[in-house]
Amino acid sequence: MVLSGLAGVSHAQQSAAERYPWDVRPAKCSAPETSGTDACRVDDWPTYDITADRLNMLASTGRYALLERALAELTRSGKRFPDGENTARVVLDTIEEKVMEHRQWSGGNSHLDRWRAQFPASEFVLLAGAMLLDPVQGEAKLQTASPAFKSTGLWALARQRLNPDRQRLAAASLPEAHYPWDHRPPKCKLPGVAAFDMCKLNHWPDQATTVERLQLLLERGEFVLLERALNELASSGDVFAGGSSKAATAYAVLEWILEQDGRTPPADSWLVPWRKSQPDSTMLQMLEAIQLQQKAWDARGSGYASTVSPESWEIFGLRLKQAEQVLLNMPEGIRNTALWHMALLRVEQDNRKPLVKPDVVFRNAVRQWPLHLDFYVTMVYRKLPQWGGSWKEVEAFVDHWSRQVEQTQGQSFYARLYVQLSGHMTPQTTTAMKWSRLQAGFEDWLSRDPTPYAKNMYASFACRARDKLAFGKALSRITPTELVPEVWLGEYSHEVCTRWAGS
């Protein structure tokens, strides 16, 4: 199919008489004179989620002519869904999903292969081909699209997603220097030897080591290496044992830097030499945004909304708007990272009039990094009763999003999320969580990540549920060296629970 500027007559458009498979209106609605009546009106694309499901159904069932027609309709429409997301995004996400499936397909003949075979001249297929290449080659392929296609929001969005990550390019152009913990022999710098066992090195093996290494770079004034390290972590999709992502760890270290810097005299500030060493530092911009959000809360205070003065509310809103602008004006490369999405989500959650709705930031983030627990935790906190929500809302959120990753994570996210909320539970708290599902969640968690922390929390929650059989089973998994009494729930400590179980 040649889209011919999304306006020409194409094979897909000639198939316009063919209905979409979800269109179950009566046959009389095919007549032009009845198409506008109430009984015959239909919105093929009512929400982002329904649209995404329908596009994937067309692709997975091999209805490529209808898929082409649907993608063209959405590309041309320019409308926004009720949540504020535009239709170009769902088109690009659908194409990207087919690209990911193609990469994982064994034996050839993927959905993308079959789509390309039927519509070799399709500009949507061209876009998919660009996404299969490295960023530079992908950009070059996108430039071969027709002028009309280049004028669409879809093409611009694809360029934004494919454009080479400027932060990585900047890091690559820095003087080649080893991290101070890198004691590999000089020959490991030679081309082709990095794959040998003696030359392999994981700079960020676990969360504790990562934090220690970032602090070491800061304390030694290695700002070039610190900038490189933070950018590596910011753009990583990896998750440490325990569930926290590398990006969230970088964010936590940035918060720690601000906390420590606030306790030192200005003359001893780390930020002054850092800025001198890296005047265009994106991480210093990130620190500025985080600091503005902290100053907003300093002005507001931690009391209930009714206790905040009008002047404090004004400063609170002003600082958040400043933080929002810092983040939205950051370079494109950092805006494509999990770290940036995390910072924007936190700012927009506080912002009374956000330019980007928190739900949109969250959904975009978990679509790209579905296993980053920190995004879900940030969102679910605002559904707690102290923020005007309820435990029923918490349960609905945890239930829905844990099911989205169930295919690879089982029920583990159900347990992980409730564990994150355990500090807000007392013996008097009546939550809506389901113990049978929580128990299954802990079992799935331990089957994937049998850390002492998870084992101890399982036992403490079993005690809270007053399930002696589950408590005994959970406790039997904890070896003497793995027992960590300090992580148990306050009112369901190891001492209290073992006394209860023996009674």
Side-chain angles (χ1 to χ4, degrees):
M1 163 188 169
V2 179
L3 274 175
S4 185
L6 298 174
V9 177
S10 67
H11 178 86
Q13 289 166 324
Q14 290 167 3
S15 302
E18 183 183 354
R19 288 190 178 188
Y20 291 119
W22 55 85
D23 186 350
V24 292
R25 294 172 298 165
K28 66 179 182 180
C29 290
S30 300
E33 63 273 12
T34 62
S35 60
T37 62
D38 289 342
C40 291
R41 286 197 182 99
V42 64
D43 184 357
D44 292 311
W45 325 115
T47 68
Y48 174 93
D49 289 334
I50 291 174
T51 299
D53 288 343
R54 288 177 172 178
L55 292 176
N56 280 318
M57 183 265 285
L58 294 177
S60 61
T61 56
R63 302 181 184 190
Y64 303 117
L66 285 177
L67 177 63
E68 286 278 322
R69 188 173 100 207
L71 295 177
E73 286 176 11
L74 290 162
T75 300
R76 284 195 300 262
S77 82
K79 84 165 194 175
R80 288 189 176 272
F81 295 112
D83 63 5
E85 192 62 271
N86 64 47
T87 53
R89 175 79 65 177
V90 76
V91 171
L92 185 59
D93 289 341
T94 298
I95 293 173
E96 188 170 47
E97 186 170 330
K98 295 306 117 186
V99 167
M100 292 173 65
E101 288 177 3
H102 175 81
R103 287 194 173 113
Q104 298 168 5
W105 203 278
S106 59
N109 198 30
S110 68
H111 289 304
L112 181 54
D113 289 325
R114 283 172 266 168
W115 182 8
R116 183 187 290 115
Q118 287 192 34
F119 297 98
S122 163
E123 299 205 85
F124 299 116
V125 170
L126 180 145
L127 195 158
M131 298 181 85
L132 284 167
L133 303 172
D134 68 62
V136 175
Q137 293 175 318
E139 167 73 10
K141 190 173 185 68
L142 273 184
Q143 293 296 339
T144 65
S146 69
F149 194 75
K150 288 181 181 179
S151 69
T152 65
L154 172 63
W155 187 82
L157 193 61
R159 278 199 72 208
Q160 179 181 329
R161 197 169 291 185
L162 276 170
N163 207 22
D165 188 333
R166 292 173 186 166
Q167 299 309 306
R168 293 183 183 180
L169 293 178
S173 67
L174 292 173
E176 189 59 38
H178 282 297
Y179 290 118
W181 54 84
D182 185 352
H183 301 300
R184 293 173 297 171
K187 67 180 180 181
C188 287
K189 296 182 182 179
L190 298 174
V193 300
F196 291 117
D197 288 342
M198 68 177 298
C199 291
K200 289 178 181 176
L201 180 62
N202 181 2
H203 294 301
W204 324 115
D206 55 64
Q207 190 172 25
T209 302
T210 297
V211 171
E212 290 174 1
R213 288 178 172 179
L214 291 174
Q215 291 173 345
L216 173 66
L217 294 177
L218 181 69
E219 291 162 1
R220 290 177 51 153
E222 299 275 6
F223 299 112
V224 171
L225 290 175
L226 178 61
E227 191 81 15
R228 177 190 295 171
L230 288 169
N231 274 291
E232 286 177 10
L233 294 165
S235 56
S236 172
D238 294 341
V239 175
F240 293 119
S244 189
S245 66
K246 289 185 176 180
T249 302
Y251 189 96
V253 169
L254 289 173
E255 288 185 310
W256 177 85
I257 289 172
L258 286 174
E259 179 185 352
Q260 299 301 310
D261 201 66
R263 297 175 179 174
T264 61
D268 297 328
S269 171
W270 281 313
L271 305 186
V272 174
W274 188 350
R275 188 170 289 108
K276 185 176 180 179
S277 170
Q278 300 286 289
D280 298 322
S281 164
T282 54
M283 289 303 147
L284 284 175
Q285 293 179 53
M286 185 65 69
L287 277 170
E288 181 185 0
I290 295 172
Q291 190 172 47
L292 283 166
Q293 186 185 21
Q294 291 177 349
K295 287 182 176 179
W297 277 99
D298 289 343
R300 181 202 181 281
S302 57
Y304 288 107
S306 59
T307 67
V308 182
S309 70
E311 294 77 17
S312 294
W313 277 124
E314 185 178 353
I315 297 172
F316 181 71
L318 176 64
R319 294 289 178 264
L320 289 173
K321 277 296 177 185
Q322 290 172 334
E324 179 186 63
Q325 284 304 311
V326 170
L327 290 168
L328 294 178
N329 291 332
M330 289 182 76
E332 188 176 291
I334 195 70
R335 293 203 313 270
N336 291 331
T337 66
L339 176 65
W340 182 87
H341 281 77
M342 194 170 302
L344 185 66
L345 177 59
R346 296 187 182 192
V347 167
E348 299 297 47
Q349 272 193 326
D350 292 338
N351 210 332
R352 289 187 165 186
K353 294 182 179 180
L355 290 177
V356 187
K357 294 180 180 179
D359 284 347
V360 173
V361 181
F362 168 72
R363 193 181 62 248
N364 287 341
V366 298
R367 191 181 302 138
Q368 297 178 75
W369 305 285
L371 300 185
H372 283 207
L373 187 69
D374 315 273
F375 290 120
Y376 304 96
V377 173
T378 300
M379 287 294 287
V380 78
Y381 268 139
R382 293 305 174 89
K383 300 186 183 299
L384 289 166
Q386 56 263 47
W387 290 100
S390 67
W391 284 103
K392 185 177 180 180
E393 290 179 54
V394 169
E395 168 63 19
F397 179 92
V398 174
D399 173 71
H400 173 78
W401 288 104
S402 60
R403 291 186 190 281
Q404 304 312 302
V405 295
E406 191 173 342
Q407 186 173 359
T408 60
Q409 302 303 303
Q411 299 291 328
S412 63
F413 260 52
Y414 189 89
R416 287 182 186 272
L417 285 171
Y418 270 117
V419 163
Q420 292 292 323
L421 300 174
S422 59
H424 300 274
M425 299 176 190
T426 69
Q428 294 74 41
T429 301
T430 302
T431 71
M433 67 181 176
K434 300 174 177 61
W435 168 240
S436 60
R437 184 145 179 231
L438 189 68
Q439 187 176 1
F442 273 115
E443 292 291 344
D444 284 341
W445 183 353
L446 290 173
S447 70
R448 292 164 172 78
D449 187 17
T451 62
Y453 176 74
K455 293 178 181 180
N456 282 265
M457 291 307 295
Y458 188 7
S460 190
F461 266 91
C463 175
R464 186 184 191 279
R466 291 327 214 201
D467 186 335
K468 286 190 176 182
L469 182 62
F471 176 76
K473 181 180 178 182
L475 193 64
S476 69
R477 290 175 166 173
I478 304 174
T479 66
T481 59
E482 291 178 326
L483 180 63
V484 190
E486 57 267 27
V487 306
W488 287 51
L489 304 177
E491 294 79 5
Y492 302 99
S493 66
H494 175 258
E495 183 180 7
V496 167
C497 290
T498 51
R499 182 182 293 270
W500 158 77
S503 61

